[in-house]
């Protein structure tokens, strides 16, 4: 299938600037949508009015969230600034501020209820999210080398903001992780026997350390069930499982557990932070474990705990006295 030369130019510019694959896919999607919305006219022929009409369509016809609308606007601004070299000014639409929401957290009992309906790999992923405070993409990107059994730590390679960090590794997960590593290495040996055996690596690493792609240490902890083409370098490799695989299993487990809260993969990370603070862990330590740059991001969990209301008596309770 032929690709659009213009979109390929956008893709090449993003890769030159080391944008993530997720951002690349997102930006290309919105730029393509913008072009189709304007009947396939070239963006250099379009200006403020067409951009404003497109953003209005997203908000009013497609009912997208403020974050999604901001993402679409970012994609268009990137295209005009870096590809077309056109400065867009006096746009009627500005970046919208997302409403500030308190994160949903689970009690320890609710976590146990959900875990009762998860098994095998899906249970281990959920346990890592809750026990280590990882984001779902960080958990799925874990490699064999990232698990340190000696000092009970997990290494997160290029987490959000391309930052490396360490977090704690619960003792209760050691046996399950050992079994998962053995499974991953077994898949790797089978790939090598069939003439493959390469894992998916960032472009800079595959060019610098070509042998690392076949190294057992670099294999994903949760390998995909099939081989695929590397999105950058197009060699056949084994990636990690897709996050929708876990999310589907989690959704089913939540329904079966009858926990009535809205639970996502990220809910376990919120619950990890809240439980640590409830157990007296210093907020700076929690900040470091979560990989937050700004302490104010971590401080939101102190509000979720509700500890400042602990000794406040509701007027309704006084009716009984």
């Amino acid at each position: 299938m032929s690709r659009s030369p213009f979109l390929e130019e956008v893709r090449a510019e993003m890769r030159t600037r080391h944008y993530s694959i997720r951002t690349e896919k997102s930006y290309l999607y919105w730029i393509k949508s913008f072009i189709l919305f304007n009947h396939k006219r070239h963006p250099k022929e379009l200006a403020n009015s067409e951009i404003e009409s497109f953003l209005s369509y997203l908000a009013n016809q497609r009912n997208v969230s403020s974050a999604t609308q901001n993402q679409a606007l970012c994609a268009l601004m990137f295209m005009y600034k870096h590809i077309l070299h056109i400065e867009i000014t006096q746009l009627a639409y500005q970046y919208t501020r997302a409403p500030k929401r308190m994160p949903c957290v689970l009690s320890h009992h609710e976590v146990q209820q959900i875990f009762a309906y998860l098994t095998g790999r899906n249970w281990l992923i959920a346990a890592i999210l809750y026990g280590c405070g990882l984001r779902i993409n960080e958990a799925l990107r874990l490699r064999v080398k990232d698990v340190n059994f000696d000092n009970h730590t997990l290494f997160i390679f290029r987490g959000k903001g391309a930052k490396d960090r360490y977090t704690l590794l619960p003792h209760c997960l050691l046996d399950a992780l050992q079994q998962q590593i053995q499974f991953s290495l077994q898949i790797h040996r089978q790939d090598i026997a069939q003439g493959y055996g390469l894992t998916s690596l960032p472009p800079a690493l595959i060019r610098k350390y070509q042998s690392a792609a076949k190294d057992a240490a670099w294999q994903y902890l949760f390998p995909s069930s099939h081989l695929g083409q590397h999105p950058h370098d197009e060699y056949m490799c084994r990636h990690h499982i897709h996050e929708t695989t876990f999310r589907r299993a989690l959704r089913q487990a939540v329904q079966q557990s009858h926990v009535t809260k809205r639970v996502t993969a990220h809910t376990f990370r919120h619950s990890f932070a809240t439980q640590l603070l409830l157990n007296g862990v210093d907020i700076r330590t929690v900040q470091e474990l979560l990989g937050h740059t700004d302490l104010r991001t971590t401080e939101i969990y102190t509000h979720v705990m509700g500890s400042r209301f602990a000794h406040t008596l509701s007027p309704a309770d006084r009716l009984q006295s």
Side-chain angles (χ1 to χ4, degrees):
M1 185 173 63
S2 61
R3 291 178 171 181
S4 161
F6 179 74
L7 292 179
E8 286 304 299
E9 184 181 355
V10 176
R11 189 194 308 273
E13 182 65 26
M14 282 191 284
R15 291 185 177 181
T16 299
R17 296 174 179 274
H18 302 287
Y19 280 42
S20 70
I21 287 292
R22 186 185 292 252
T23 302
E24 177 184 309
K25 289 180 178 179
S26 173
Y27 277 25
L28 289 173
Y29 171 79
W30 289 118
I31 291 170
K32 183 178 179 180
S33 298
F34 176 64
I35 293 171
L36 293 175
F37 177 78
N38 287 285
H39 311 291
K40 298 185 179 181
R41 292 167 62 195
H42 197 284
K44 66 183 178 183
E45 301 174 2
L46 309 173
N48 288 35
S49 60
E50 287 81 8
I51 296 173
E52 291 162 5
S53 296
F54 178 63
L55 295 174
S56 177
Y57 159 74
L58 293 180
N60 298 304
Q61 273 69 54
R62 290 186 51 177
N63 297 313
V64 303
S65 67
S66 58
T68 301
Q69 190 178 30
N70 285 344
Q71 188 182 68
L73 181 54
C74 283
L76 297 183
M77 293 301 100
F78 176 89
M79 173 187 68
Y80 277 102
K81 181 177 180 179
H82 299 294
I83 307 301
L84 300 176
H85 306 292
I86 297 174
E87 192 71 27
I88 299 295
T89 58
Q90 298 181 337
L91 197 66
Y93 277 83
Q94 300 296 324
Y95 292 107
T96 57
R97 178 174 294 181
K100 190 174 182 179
R101 297 188 179 95
M102 287 291 180
C104 173
V105 298
L106 300 170
S107 68
H108 189 64
H109 177 64
E110 288 170 329
V111 172
Q112 289 178 317
Q113 285 180 277
I114 296 170
F115 277 22
Y117 294 95
L118 291 168
T119 59
R121 180 186 65 189
N122 292 320
W123 176 89
L124 180 56
I125 293 172
I128 289 173
L129 298 177
Y130 179 61
C132 311
L134 270 60
R135 302 173 179 90
I136 181 60
N137 60 339
E138 292 173 342
L140 298 183
R141 289 176 187 168
L142 285 173
R143 301 178 189 266
V144 172
K145 69 176 184 61
D146 297 332
V147 185
N148 192 317
F149 291 101
D150 293 329
N151 60 8
H152 297 146
T153 59
L154 278 182
F155 175 63
I156 293 85
F157 175 70
R158 294 186 184 176
K160 188 174 182 180
K163 294 180 294 185
D164 298 344
R165 76 178 191 278
Y166 285 95
T167 189
L168 51 86
L169 175 61
H171 290 69
C172 62
L173 299 185
L174 299 184
D175 290 342
L177 282 169
Q178 286 279 18
Q179 293 175 20
Q180 185 63 33
I181 287 174
Q182 292 307 313
F183 172 77
S184 175
L185 296 181
Q186 179 185 353
I187 296 293
H188 180 51
R189 288 192 292 270
Q190 293 173 357
D191 287 346
I192 291 177
Q194 295 172 7
Y196 297 104
L198 295 174
T199 190
S200 174
L201 286 179
L205 281 180
I206 192 64
R207 286 191 286 270
K208 189 174 182 181
Y209 307 110
Q210 293 185 10
S211 61
K214 271 197 176 182
D215 193 333
W218 280 90
Q219 303 307 305
Y220 282 113
L221 195 60
F222 301 105
S224 172
S225 58
H226 58 273
L227 296 169
Q229 194 175 54
H230 192 278
H232 277 278
D233 298 309
E234 300 184 347
Y235 60 88
M236 292 302 294
C237 62
R238 190 173 291 276
H239 203 57
H240 57 70
I241 67 169
H242 198 276
E243 57 190 61
T244 54
T245 304
F246 171 74
R247 283 181 172 146
R248 195 179 303 117
L250 176 60
R251 190 181 309 115
Q252 184 176 356
V254 173
Q255 291 172 349
Q256 292 175 313
S257 71
H258 301 297
V259 171
T260 55
K261 294 177 180 177
R262 181 180 178 272
V263 180
T264 67
H266 212 68
T267 305
F268 292 118
R269 176 173 160 88
H270 294 321
S271 304
F272 165 84
T274 306
Q275 287 294 326
L276 288 183
L277 291 170
L278 284 170
N279 286 296
V281 177
D282 178 74
I283 192 170
R284 291 284 184 181
T285 302
V286 177
Q287 177 191 9
E288 184 177 348
L289 292 172
L290 293 174
H292 288 162
T293 302
D294 194 333
L295 184 63
R296 287 175 295 181
T297 308
T298 316
E299 285 175 344
I300 192 171
Y301 297 111
T302 62
H303 299 294
V304 174
M305 290 162 55
S307 57
R308 58 198 176 116
F309 304 129
H311 303 291
T312 304
L313 190 67
S314 168
D317 289 326
R318 299 182 185 277
L319 294 175
Q320 305 300 321
S321 57

